[in-house]
Amino acid sequence: AAGVIQSPRHLIKEKRETATLKCYPIPRHDTVYWYQQGPGQDPQFLISFYEKMQSDKGSIPDRFSAQQFSDYHSELNMSSLELGDSALYFCASSGGPRGSYEQYFGPGTRLTVT
Amino acid sequence: SQQGEEDPQALSIQEGENATMNCSYKTSINNLQWYRQNSGRGLVHLILIRSNEREKHSGRLRVTLDTSKKSSSLLITASRAADTASYFCATDGGYGQNFVFGPGTRLSVLP
């Protein structure tokens, strides 16, 4: 069965650079979530989208923005990168409004900021 | 805000034994989900239990939910070395509420 696809899988950036992470949800899933997991930390919810509209917002820094496109894929844009942004970034998708369906996670993008 | 908290934070058992992990949370929830994560890898969804359910089974997994105590437990029976991973509970308060992970329990199953 198709799973959530994230690209790139690994990304190395320097401080103050920008990065764009992409997420392709499971087909027919209309909700996408972004999470950040620092080393040894639990995942922290960043932001979610339902039917291309932002549906929920967590601890996403102002330097980050995200959107969901007409084909339901999502992109997380990160600017003015800081060393503390080094983490695993997970995208998850679900098949309906959040709270009703399981979230299925992608493999993650490991971002390293040097 | 609600938060899942796992207990214990680390657990070491022998293959074939049962492993029980607990999760507590603070506010009302719509559902609670358990995930497994192998070191540095993606989260794998294990089981979802809704707030009106008390127990759910999936293969060797058994999850209970006690909304009066705001707690849940995950039982893995007849554990295997391949079960070695971190296990997270995540609480879902429904639309408009954050989906919150607890700190996780690191399970080591020794052969």
Side-chain angles (χ1 to χ4, degrees):
Chain A
V4 176
I5 297 171
Q6 290 187 246
S7 69
R9 294 293 307 277
H10 302 273
L11 189 59
I12 299 175
K13 290 285 186 178
E14 294 186 355
K15 280 193 328 183
R16 292 180 288 278
E17 285 192 321
T18 61
T20 297
L21 310 185
K22 297 184 178 182
C23 170
Y24 298 86
I26 291 172
R28 292 182 295 281
H29 279 194
D30 50 18
T31 307
V32 168
Y33 316 80
W34 285 97
Y35 295 86
Q36 177 192 58
Q37 186 177 28
Q41 304 293 314
D42 50 295
Q44 296 291 321
F45 171 74
L46 293 179
I47 195 167
S48 63
F49 293 87
Y50 168 62
E51 283 292 345
K52 293 153 278 183
M53 299 287 289
Q54 181 182 308
S55 57
D56 202 352
K57 192 172 182 180
S59 52
I60 184 169
D62 291 340
R63 299 177 289 107
F64 295 5
S65 65
Q67 57 181 324
Q68 186 180 31
F69 295 86
S70 57
D71 63 352
Y72 295 100
H73 94 273
S74 178
E75 295 184 3
L76 177 65
N77 299 295
M78 311 159 72
S79 63
S80 303
L81 287 169
E82 303 173 355
L83 295 178
D85 296 328
S86 294
L88 263 173
Y89 290 84
F90 290 105
C91 167
S93 72
S94 69
R98 199 183 70 79
S100 302
Y101 299 93
E102 297 90 336
Q103 296 185 24
Y104 293 89
F105 283 75
T109 294
R110 185 175 295 279
L111 173 67
T112 302
V113 181
T114 61
Chain B
S1 61
Q2 60 194 15
Q3 182 171 13
E5 298 180 358
E6 269 87 0
D7 166 39
Q9 295 205 350
L11 180 62
S12 245
I13 58 173
Q14 295 293 134
E15 217 167 14
E17 293 182 336
N18 295 341
T20 299
M21 288 159 276
N22 302 301
C23 168
S24 61
Y25 56 93
K26 297 177 181 175
T27 61
S28 62
I29 61 171
N30 191 30
N31 65 70
L32 184 145
Q33 304 181 32
W34 284 91
Y35 290 83
R36 183 184 73 223
Q37 184 179 37
N38 290 83
S39 181
R41 298 198 172 192
L43 291 144
V44 175
H45 181 268
L46 295 177
I47 200 164
L48 178 152
I49 186 164
R50 300 184 195 282
S51 59
N52 61 352
E53 296 175 314
R54 293 295 167 260
E55 189 171 310
K56 209 160 181 180
H57 297 255
S58 177
R60 293 184 296 113
L61 307 180
R62 173 177 167 252
V63 168
T64 62
L65 178 65
D66 187 335
T67 52
S68 66
K69 295 181 180 178
K70 292 187 168 57
S71 67
S72 173
S73 68
L74 169 68
L75 168 68
I76 303 175
T77 60
S79 63
R80 306 166 182 167
D83 294 329
T84 295
S86 290
Y87 291 82
F88 294 91
C89 78
T91 51
D92 190 338
Y95 185 76
Q97 300 293 321
N98 284 352
F99 188 70
V100 180
F101 283 84
T105 293
R106 185 178 298 278
L107 173 67
S108 298
V109 181
L110 308 174

